């Protein structure tokens, strides 16, 4: 039997940097470095959907967690995640090892340890929007992204416990193990 029966679940853009908001891609396609050890060890990869590309397409602006914090978007995340959670559950029930889940720190959706706060939106052409001030208020701080929160809740509801890992959105070279007690 050739299969390794080990699976790593990864955020979409780590296997397809083309999904990033323009111009945030840091590589042409696959972010090899954080995944290299798993790939070389024969671990299979399950790619999550990119919630932003699914919901907003490729002409979207960069947004913050406050902007994605909306019941309808969370519902959409849960709908996107259901078939993936079904797959993960099927693998786990069949005795496959889920070696981890890799998120993208800094993302308003896929952040594991940190996410992006601040800009609250509005009509950008209106003088009262005060875009420079809104841009200046963008911060990165502790917290999970919206999609990650829904994913972890979905895994929890199915009693699937997986190790968490993160890469940094602006420099996804290193894979960092995340202590769930502090994430
Ligand atoms: S971090 Fe998440 S939401 Fe952002 S581009 Fe990657 S997969 Fe999409």
């Amino acid at each position: 039997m050739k299969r390794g029966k080990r699976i790593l679940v990864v955020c979409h853009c780590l296997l397809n940097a083309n999904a990033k908001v323009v111009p945030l891609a840091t590589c042409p396609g696959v972010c090899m470095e954080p995944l290299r050890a798993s790939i070389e060890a024969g671990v299979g990869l399950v790619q999550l959907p990119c919630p932003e590309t699914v919901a907003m397409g490729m002409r979207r602006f960069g947004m913050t967690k406050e902007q994605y914090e909306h019941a309808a978007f969370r519902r959409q995340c849960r709908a996107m995640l259901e078939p993936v959670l079904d797959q993960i559950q099927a693998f786990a029930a069949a005795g496959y090892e889920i070696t981890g889940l890799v998120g993208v720190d800094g993302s308003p959706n896929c952040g594991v340890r940190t996410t992006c706060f601040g800009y609250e939106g509005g009509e950008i052409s209106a003088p009262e929007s005060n875009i420079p001030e809104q841009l200046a208020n963008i911060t990165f701080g502790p917290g999970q992204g919206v999609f990650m929160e829904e994913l972890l809740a979905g895994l929890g509801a199915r009693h699937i416990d997986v190790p968490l890992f993160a890469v940094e959105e602006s420099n996804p070279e290193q894979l960092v193990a995340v202590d769930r007690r502090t994430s």
Side-chain angles (χ1 to χ4, degrees), residues 65-94:
K65 186 173 182 184
E66 284 94 331
Q67 292 175 286
Y68 281 109
E69 187 54 78
H70 178 54
F73 181 71
R74 283 190 177 271
R75 237 181 350 261
Q76 204 173 356
C77 287
R78 288 195 290 276
M80 287 176 225
L81 283 164
E82 197 162 330
V84 184
L85 287 164
D86 288 348
Q87 283 180 59
I88 296 170
Q89 188 169 24
F91 281 124

PDB file of all heavy atoms in Angstrom, residues 65-94:
ATOM      1  N   LYS A  65     -11.007  42.735   9.510  1.00  0.00           N
ATOM      2  CA  LYS A  65     -11.944  41.805  10.139  1.00  0.00           C
ATOM      3  C   LYS A  65     -13.295  42.467  10.382  1.00  0.00           C
ATOM      4  O   LYS A  65     -14.342  41.839  10.212  1.00  0.00           O
ATOM      5  CB  LYS A  65     -11.368  41.262  11.452  1.00  0.00           C
ATOM      6  CG  LYS A  65     -12.247  40.179  12.046  1.00  0.00           C
ATOM      7  CD  LYS A  65     -11.644  39.507  13.243  1.00  0.00           C
ATOM      8  CE  LYS A  65     -12.600  38.400  13.744  1.00  0.00           C
ATOM      9  NZ  LYS A  65     -12.108  37.764  14.975  1.00  0.00           N
ATOM     10  N   GLU A  66     -13.288  43.753  10.762  1.00  0.00           N
ATOM     11  CA  GLU A  66     -14.564  44.442  10.994  1.00  0.00           C
ATOM     12  C   GLU A  66     -15.442  44.421   9.747  1.00  0.00           C
ATOM     13  O   GLU A  66     -16.668  44.326   9.842  1.00  0.00           O
ATOM     14  CB  GLU A  66     -14.330  45.905  11.391  1.00  0.00           C
ATOM     15  CG  GLU A  66     -13.854  46.112  12.808  1.00  0.00           C
ATOM     16  CD  GLU A  66     -12.341  46.196  12.887  1.00  0.00           C
ATOM     17  OE1 GLU A  66     -11.651  45.587  12.029  1.00  0.00           O
ATOM     18  OE2 GLU A  66     -11.839  46.871  13.801  1.00  0.00           O
ATOM     19  N   GLN A  67     -14.813  44.527   8.582  1.00  0.00           N
ATOM     20  CA  GLN A  67     -15.593  44.576   7.360  1.00  0.00           C
ATOM     21  C   GLN A  67     -16.162  43.209   6.982  1.00  0.00           C
ATOM     22  O   GLN A  67     -17.226  43.128   6.380  1.00  0.00           O
ATOM     23  CB  GLN A  67     -14.743  45.138   6.221  1.00  0.00           C
ATOM     24  CG  GLN A  67     -14.409  46.610   6.432  1.00  0.00           C
ATOM     25  CD  GLN A  67     -13.463  47.093   5.364  1.00  0.00           C
ATOM     26  OE1 GLN A  67     -12.281  46.773   5.366  1.00  0.00           O
ATOM     27  NE2 GLN A  67     -13.995  47.851   4.435  1.00  0.00           N
ATOM     28  N   TYR A  68     -15.427  42.154   7.325  1.00  0.00           N
ATOM     29  CA  TYR A  68     -15.934  40.811   7.043  1.00  0.00           C
ATOM     30  C   TYR A  68     -16.858  40.304   8.148  1.00  0.00           C
ATOM     31  O   TYR A  68     -17.508  39.279   7.989  1.00  0.00           O
ATOM     32  CB  TYR A  68     -14.768  39.833   6.854  1.00  0.00           C
ATOM     33  CG  TYR A  68     -14.128  39.936   5.491  1.00  0.00           C
ATOM     34  CD1 TYR A  68     -12.863  40.475   5.331  1.00  0.00           C
ATOM     35  CD2 TYR A  68     -14.812  39.509   4.357  1.00  0.00           C
ATOM     36  CE1 TYR A  68     -12.279  40.568   4.075  1.00  0.00           C
ATOM     37  CE2 TYR A  68     -14.245  39.611   3.094  1.00  0.00           C
ATOM     38  CZ  TYR A  68     -12.971  40.138   2.963  1.00  0.00           C
ATOM     39  OH  TYR A  68     -12.415  40.238   1.716  1.00  0.00           O
ATOM     40  N   GLU A  69     -16.885  41.014   9.268  1.00  0.00           N
ATOM     41  CA  GLU A  69     -17.701  40.573  10.403  1.00  0.00           C
ATOM     42  C   GLU A  69     -19.166  40.855  10.132  1.00  0.00           C
ATOM     43  O   GLU A  69     -19.702  41.916  10.467  1.00  0.00           O
ATOM     44  CB  GLU A  69     -17.241  41.297  11.681  1.00  0.00           C
ATOM     45  CG  GLU A  69     -17.919  40.794  12.952  1.00  0.00           C
ATOM     46  CD  GLU A  69     -17.777  39.303  13.132  1.00  0.00           C
ATOM     47  OE1 GLU A  69     -16.698  38.840  13.553  1.00  0.00           O
ATOM     48  OE2 GLU A  69     -18.749  38.606  12.832  1.00  0.00           O
ATOM     49  N   HIS A  70     -19.811  39.900   9.481  1.00  0.00           N
ATOM     50  CA  HIS A  70     -21.197  40.071   9.073  1.00  0.00           C
ATOM     51  C   HIS A  70     -21.843  38.690   9.008  1.00  0.00           C
ATOM     52  O   HIS A  70     -21.231  37.722   8.520  1.00  0.00           O
ATOM     53  CB  HIS A  70     -21.244  40.763   7.706  1.00  0.00           C
ATOM     54  CG  HIS A  70     -22.614  40.955   7.171  1.00  0.00           C
ATOM     55  ND1 HIS A  70     -23.608  41.587   7.875  1.00  0.00           N
ATOM     56  CD2 HIS A  70     -23.182  40.581   5.990  1.00  0.00           C
ATOM     57  CE1 HIS A  70     -24.717  41.612   7.152  1.00  0.00           C
ATOM     58  NE2 HIS A  70     -24.482  40.988   6.015  1.00  0.00           N
ATOM     59  N   ALA A  71     -23.075  38.589   9.496  1.00  0.00           N
ATOM     60  CA  ALA A  71     -23.723  37.276   9.613  1.00  0.00           C
ATOM     61  C   ALA A  71     -23.802  36.548   8.278  1.00  0.00           C
ATOM     62  O   ALA A  71     -23.578  35.337   8.205  1.00  0.00           O
ATOM     63  CB  ALA A  71     -25.120  37.451  10.210  1.00  0.00           C
ATOM     64  N   ALA A  72     -24.101  37.279   7.211  1.00  0.00           N
ATOM     65  CA  ALA A  72     -24.257  36.617   5.909  1.00  0.00           C
ATOM     66  C   ALA A  72     -22.923  36.064   5.420  1.00  0.00           C
ATOM     67  O   ALA A  72     -22.862  34.986   4.808  1.00  0.00           O
ATOM     68  CB  ALA A  72     -24.830  37.592   4.887  1.00  0.00           C
ATOM     69  N   PHE A  73     -21.837  36.802   5.684  1.00  0.00           N
ATOM     70  CA  PHE A  73     -20.523  36.302   5.271  1.00  0.00           C
ATOM     71  C   PHE A  73     -20.152  35.066   6.085  1.00  0.00           C
ATOM     72  O   PHE A  73     -19.619  34.090   5.548  1.00  0.00           O
ATOM     73  CB  PHE A  73     -19.458  37.392   5.412  1.00  0.00           C
ATOM     74  CG  PHE A  73     -18.099  36.924   4.975  1.00  0.00           C
ATOM     75  CD1 PHE A  73     -17.821  36.692   3.633  1.00  0.00           C
ATOM     76  CD2 PHE A  73     -17.107  36.688   5.907  1.00  0.00           C
ATOM     77  CE1 PHE A  73     -16.568  36.224   3.224  1.00  0.00           C
ATOM     78  CE2 PHE A  73     -15.853  36.232   5.510  1.00  0.00           C
ATOM     79  CZ  PHE A  73     -15.591  36.006   4.170  1.00  0.00           C
ATOM     80  N   ARG A  74     -20.448  35.102   7.382  1.00  0.00           N
ATOM     81  CA  ARG A  74     -20.159  33.910   8.210  1.00  0.00           C
ATOM     82  C   ARG A  74     -20.961  32.704   7.708  1.00  0.00           C
ATOM     83  O   ARG A  74     -20.458  31.589   7.679  1.00  0.00           O
ATOM     84  CB  ARG A  74     -20.468  34.193   9.681  1.00  0.00           C
ATOM     85  CG  ARG A  74     -19.402  35.021  10.373  1.00  0.00           C
ATOM     86  CD  ARG A  74     -19.599  35.078  11.863  1.00  0.00           C
ATOM     87  NE  ARG A  74     -18.525  35.831  12.495  1.00  0.00           N
ATOM     88  CZ  ARG A  74     -17.373  35.300  12.914  1.00  0.00           C
ATOM     89  NH1 ARG A  74     -17.150  34.014  12.799  1.00  0.00           N
ATOM     90  NH2 ARG A  74     -16.454  36.063  13.474  1.00  0.00           N
ATOM     91  N   ARG A  75     -22.202  32.949   7.330  1.00  0.00           N
ATOM     92  CA  ARG A  75     -23.020  31.853   6.783  1.00  0.00           C
ATOM     93  C   ARG A  75     -22.382  31.288   5.525  1.00  0.00           C
ATOM     94  O   ARG A  75     -22.325  30.083   5.318  1.00  0.00           O
ATOM     95  CB  ARG A  75     -24.421  32.390   6.461  1.00  0.00           C
ATOM     96  CG  ARG A  75     -25.509  31.644   7.170  1.00  0.00           C
ATOM     97  CD  ARG A  75     -26.920  32.069   6.914  1.00  0.00           C
ATOM     98  NE  ARG A  75     -27.206  33.275   6.200  1.00  0.00           N
ATOM     99  CZ  ARG A  75     -27.530  34.443   6.788  1.00  0.00           C
ATOM    100  NH1 ARG A  75     -27.579  34.542   8.097  1.00  0.00           N
ATOM    101  NH2 ARG A  75     -27.808  35.499   6.061  1.00  0.00           N
ATOM    102  N   GLN A  76     -21.866  32.197   4.699  1.00  0.00           N
ATOM    103  CA  GLN A  76     -21.229  31.760   3.461  1.00  0.00           C
ATOM    104  C   GLN A  76     -19.963  30.951   3.771  1.00  0.00           C
ATOM    105  O   GLN A  76     -19.679  29.950   3.118  1.00  0.00           O
ATOM    106  CB  GLN A  76     -20.889  32.988   2.609  1.00  0.00           C
ATOM    107  CG  GLN A  76     -20.777  32.680   1.142  1.00  0.00           C
ATOM    108  CD  GLN A  76     -20.606  33.927   0.289  1.00  0.00           C
ATOM    109  OE1 GLN A  76     -20.643  35.048   0.777  1.00  0.00           O
ATOM    110  NE2 GLN A  76     -20.399  33.722  -0.995  1.00  0.00           N
ATOM    111  N   CYS A  77     -19.209  31.395   4.772  1.00  0.00           N
ATOM    112  CA  CYS A  77     -18.013  30.635   5.180  1.00  0.00           C
ATOM    113  C   CYS A  77     -18.414  29.223   5.608  1.00  0.00           C
ATOM    114  O   CYS A  77     -17.786  28.239   5.213  1.00  0.00           O
ATOM    115  CB  CYS A  77     -17.293  31.335   6.335  1.00  0.00           C
ATOM    116  SG  CYS A  77     -16.423  32.832   5.864  1.00  0.00           S
ATOM    117  N   ARG A  78     -19.461  29.128   6.403  1.00  0.00           N
ATOM    118  CA  ARG A  78     -19.879  27.809   6.887  1.00  0.00           C
ATOM    119  C   ARG A  78     -20.307  26.925   5.709  1.00  0.00           C
ATOM    120  O   ARG A  78     -20.012  25.727   5.676  1.00  0.00           O
ATOM    121  CB  ARG A  78     -21.023  27.944   7.900  1.00  0.00           C
ATOM    122  CG  ARG A  78     -20.564  28.514   9.241  1.00  0.00           C
ATOM    123  CD  ARG A  78     -21.596  28.315  10.333  1.00  0.00           C
ATOM    124  NE  ARG A  78     -22.778  29.130  10.167  1.00  0.00           N
ATOM    125  CZ  ARG A  78     -22.894  30.406  10.572  1.00  0.00           C
ATOM    126  NH1 ARG A  78     -21.890  31.008  11.179  1.00  0.00           N
ATOM    127  NH2 ARG A  78     -24.018  31.081  10.382  1.00  0.00           N
ATOM    128  N   ALA A  79     -20.986  27.531   4.723  1.00  0.00           N
ATOM    129  CA  ALA A  79     -21.411  26.748   3.556  1.00  0.00           C
ATOM    130  C   ALA A  79     -20.207  26.268   2.754  1.00  0.00           C
ATOM    131  O   ALA A  79     -20.169  25.134   2.281  1.00  0.00           O
ATOM    132  CB  ALA A  79     -22.339  27.598   2.684  1.00  0.00           C
ATOM    133  N   MET A  80     -19.189  27.159   2.605  1.00  0.00           N
ATOM    134  CA  MET A  80     -17.967  26.753   1.876  1.00  0.00           C
ATOM    135  C   MET A  80     -17.242  25.639   2.601  1.00  0.00           C
ATOM    136  O   MET A  80     -16.629  24.769   2.001  1.00  0.00           O
ATOM    137  CB  MET A  80     -16.975  27.932   1.795  1.00  0.00           C
ATOM    138  CG  MET A  80     -17.314  29.037   0.873  1.00  0.00           C
ATOM    139  SD  MET A  80     -16.035  30.324   1.091  1.00  0.00           S
ATOM    140  CE  MET A  80     -17.055  31.779   1.162  1.00  0.00           C
ATOM    141  N   LEU A  81     -17.313  25.703   3.939  1.00  0.00           N
ATOM    142  CA  LEU A  81     -16.518  24.773   4.740  1.00  0.00           C
ATOM    143  C   LEU A  81     -17.161  23.401   4.876  1.00  0.00           C
ATOM    144  O   LEU A  81     -16.454  22.417   5.134  1.00  0.00           O
ATOM    145  CB  LEU A  81     -16.283  25.368   6.140  1.00  0.00           C
ATOM    146  CG  LEU A  81     -15.214  26.450   6.193  1.00  0.00           C
ATOM    147  CD1 LEU A  81     -15.306  27.241   7.489  1.00  0.00           C
ATOM    148  CD2 LEU A  81     -13.834  25.812   6.050  1.00  0.00           C
ATOM    149  N   GLU A  82     -18.450  23.332   4.705  1.00  0.00           N
ATOM    150  CA  GLU A  82     -19.109  22.064   4.998  1.00  0.00           C
ATOM    151  C   GLU A  82     -18.548  20.890   4.192  1.00  0.00           C
ATOM    152  O   GLU A  82     -18.228  19.840   4.768  1.00  0.00           O
ATOM    153  CB  GLU A  82     -20.610  22.194   4.792  1.00  0.00           C
ATOM    154  CG  GLU A  82     -21.335  21.055   5.465  1.00  0.00           C
ATOM    155  CD  GLU A  82     -22.807  21.344   5.668  1.00  0.00           C
ATOM    156  OE1 GLU A  82     -23.166  22.521   5.831  1.00  0.00           O
ATOM    157  OE2 GLU A  82     -23.578  20.387   5.658  1.00  0.00           O
ATOM    158  N   PRO A  83     -18.400  21.015   2.864  1.00  0.00           N
ATOM    159  CA  PRO A  83     -17.841  19.859   2.137  1.00  0.00           C
ATOM    160  C   PRO A  83     -16.401  19.536   2.539  1.00  0.00           C
ATOM    161  O   PRO A  83     -15.996  18.375   2.520  1.00  0.00           O
ATOM    162  CB  PRO A  83     -17.926  20.276   0.656  1.00  0.00           C
ATOM    163  CG  PRO A  83     -18.298  21.695   0.628  1.00  0.00           C
ATOM    164  CD  PRO A  83     -18.844  22.089   1.960  1.00  0.00           C
ATOM    165  N   VAL A  84     -15.633  20.562   2.914  1.00  0.00           N
ATOM    166  CA  VAL A  84     -14.242  20.312   3.343  1.00  0.00           C
ATOM    167  C   VAL A  84     -14.244  19.594   4.691  1.00  0.00           C
ATOM    168  O   VAL A  84     -13.478  18.641   4.907  1.00  0.00           O
ATOM    169  CB  VAL A  84     -13.458  21.634   3.454  1.00  0.00           C
ATOM    170  CG1 VAL A  84     -12.004  21.350   3.793  1.00  0.00           C
ATOM    171  CG2 VAL A  84     -13.551  22.421   2.173  1.00  0.00           C
ATOM    172  N   LEU A  85     -15.120  20.054   5.588  1.00  0.00           N
ATOM    173  CA  LEU A  85     -15.210  19.392   6.891  1.00  0.00           C
ATOM    174  C   LEU A  85     -15.668  17.945   6.718  1.00  0.00           C
ATOM    175  O   LEU A  85     -15.180  17.049   7.419  1.00  0.00           O
ATOM    176  CB  LEU A  85     -16.164  20.166   7.799  1.00  0.00           C
ATOM    177  CG  LEU A  85     -15.606  21.494   8.327  1.00  0.00           C
ATOM    178  CD1 LEU A  85     -16.714  22.369   8.889  1.00  0.00           C
ATOM    179  CD2 LEU A  85     -14.542  21.247   9.401  1.00  0.00           C
ATOM    180  N   ASP A  86     -16.562  17.720   5.763  1.00  0.00           N
ATOM    181  CA  ASP A  86     -16.989  16.339   5.491  1.00  0.00           C
ATOM    182  C   ASP A  86     -15.795  15.488   5.066  1.00  0.00           C
ATOM    183  O   ASP A  86     -15.644  14.340   5.498  1.00  0.00           O
ATOM    184  CB  ASP A  86     -18.054  16.306   4.380  1.00  0.00           C
ATOM    185  CG  ASP A  86     -19.407  16.840   4.836  1.00  0.00           C
ATOM    186  OD1 ASP A  86     -19.609  17.022   6.054  1.00  0.00           O
ATOM    187  OD2 ASP A  86     -20.253  17.078   3.958  1.00  0.00           O
ATOM    188  N   GLN A  87     -14.942  16.066   4.213  1.00  0.00           N
ATOM    189  CA  GLN A  87     -13.758  15.319   3.764  1.00  0.00           C
ATOM    190  C   GLN A  87     -12.816  15.021   4.920  1.00  0.00           C
ATOM    191  O   GLN A  87     -12.333  13.904   5.076  1.00  0.00           O
ATOM    192  CB  GLN A  87     -12.959  16.149   2.747  1.00  0.00           C
ATOM    193  CG  GLN A  87     -13.508  16.228   1.361  1.00  0.00           C
ATOM    194  CD  GLN A  87     -12.576  17.084   0.502  1.00  0.00           C
ATOM    195  OE1 GLN A  87     -11.402  16.772   0.355  1.00  0.00           O
ATOM    196  NE2 GLN A  87     -13.096  18.164  -0.039  1.00  0.00           N
ATOM    197  N   ILE A  88     -12.554  16.053   5.709  1.00  0.00           N
ATOM    198  CA  ILE A  88     -11.621  15.871   6.832  1.00  0.00           C
ATOM    199  C   ILE A  88     -12.175  14.812   7.785  1.00  0.00           C
ATOM    200  O   ILE A  88     -11.442  13.930   8.245  1.00  0.00           O
ATOM    201  CB  ILE A  88     -11.393  17.211   7.557  1.00  0.00           C
ATOM    202  CG1 ILE A  88     -10.711  18.206   6.617  1.00  0.00           C
ATOM    203  CG2 ILE A  88     -10.540  17.006   8.817  1.00  0.00           C
ATOM    204  CD1 ILE A  88     -10.662  19.634   7.159  1.00  0.00           C
ATOM    205  N   GLN A  89     -13.474  14.903   8.040  1.00  0.00           N
ATOM    206  CA  GLN A  89     -14.102  13.927   8.943  1.00  0.00           C
ATOM    207  C   GLN A  89     -13.995  12.516   8.355  1.00  0.00           C
ATOM    208  O   GLN A  89     -13.729  11.552   9.085  1.00  0.00           O
ATOM    209  CB  GLN A  89     -15.560  14.303   9.148  1.00  0.00           C
ATOM    210  CG  GLN A  89     -16.256  13.477  10.214  1.00  0.00           C
ATOM    211  CD  GLN A  89     -17.617  14.052  10.569  1.00  0.00           C
ATOM    212  OE1 GLN A  89     -18.237  14.759   9.783  1.00  0.00           O
ATOM    213  NE2 GLN A  89     -18.076  13.738  11.762  1.00  0.00           N
ATOM    214  N   ALA A  90     -14.182  12.395   7.059  1.00  0.00           N
ATOM    215  CA  ALA A  90     -14.097  11.072   6.424  1.00  0.00           C
ATOM    216  C   ALA A  90     -12.686  10.505   6.551  1.00  0.00           C
ATOM    217  O   ALA A  90     -12.497   9.322   6.867  1.00  0.00           O
ATOM    218  CB  ALA A  90     -14.509  11.175   4.956  1.00  0.00           C
ATOM    219  N   PHE A  91     -11.687  11.353   6.309  1.00  0.00           N
ATOM    220  CA  PHE A  91     -10.297  10.884   6.445  1.00  0.00           C
ATOM    221  C   PHE A  91     -10.008  10.464   7.890  1.00  0.00           C
ATOM    222  O   PHE A  91      -9.415   9.412   8.142  1.00  0.00           O
ATOM    223  CB  PHE A  91      -9.314  11.980   6.018  1.00  0.00           C
ATOM    224  CG  PHE A  91      -9.163  12.118   4.520  1.00  0.00           C
ATOM    225  CD1 PHE A  91      -9.385  13.343   3.898  1.00  0.00           C
ATOM    226  CD2 PHE A  91      -8.763  11.043   3.747  1.00  0.00           C
ATOM    227  CE1 PHE A  91      -9.236  13.487   2.524  1.00  0.00           C
ATOM    228  CE2 PHE A  91      -8.609  11.170   2.361  1.00  0.00           C
ATOM    229  CZ  PHE A  91      -8.850  12.396   1.747  1.00  0.00           C
ATOM    230  N   ALA A  92     -10.447  11.320   8.817  1.00  0.00           N
ATOM    231  CA  ALA A  92     -10.179  11.013  10.231  1.00  0.00           C
ATOM    232  C   ALA A  92     -10.868   9.718  10.645  1.00  0.00           C
ATOM    233  O   ALA A  92     -10.274   8.862  11.315  1.00  0.00           O
ATOM    234  CB  ALA A  92     -10.631  12.179  11.110  1.00  0.00           C
ATOM    235  N   ALA A  93     -12.121   9.562  10.210  1.00  0.00           N
ATOM    236  CA  ALA A  93     -12.870   8.354  10.587  1.00  0.00           C
ATOM    237  C   ALA A  93     -12.262   7.106   9.978  1.00  0.00           C
ATOM    238  O   ALA A  93     -12.371   6.009  10.535  1.00  0.00           O
ATOM    239  CB  ALA A  93     -14.323   8.503  10.143  1.00  0.00           C
ATOM    240  N   ALA A  94     -11.576   7.268   8.839  1.00  0.00           N
ATOM    241  CA  ALA A  94     -10.952   6.124   8.171  1.00  0.00           C
ATOM    242  C   ALA A  94      -9.540   5.858   8.695  1.00  0.00           C
ATOM    243  O   ALA A  94      -8.820   5.020   8.151  1.00  0.00           O
ATOM    244  CB  ALA A  94     -10.920   6.361   6.656  1.00  0.00           C
TER     245      ALA A  94
END
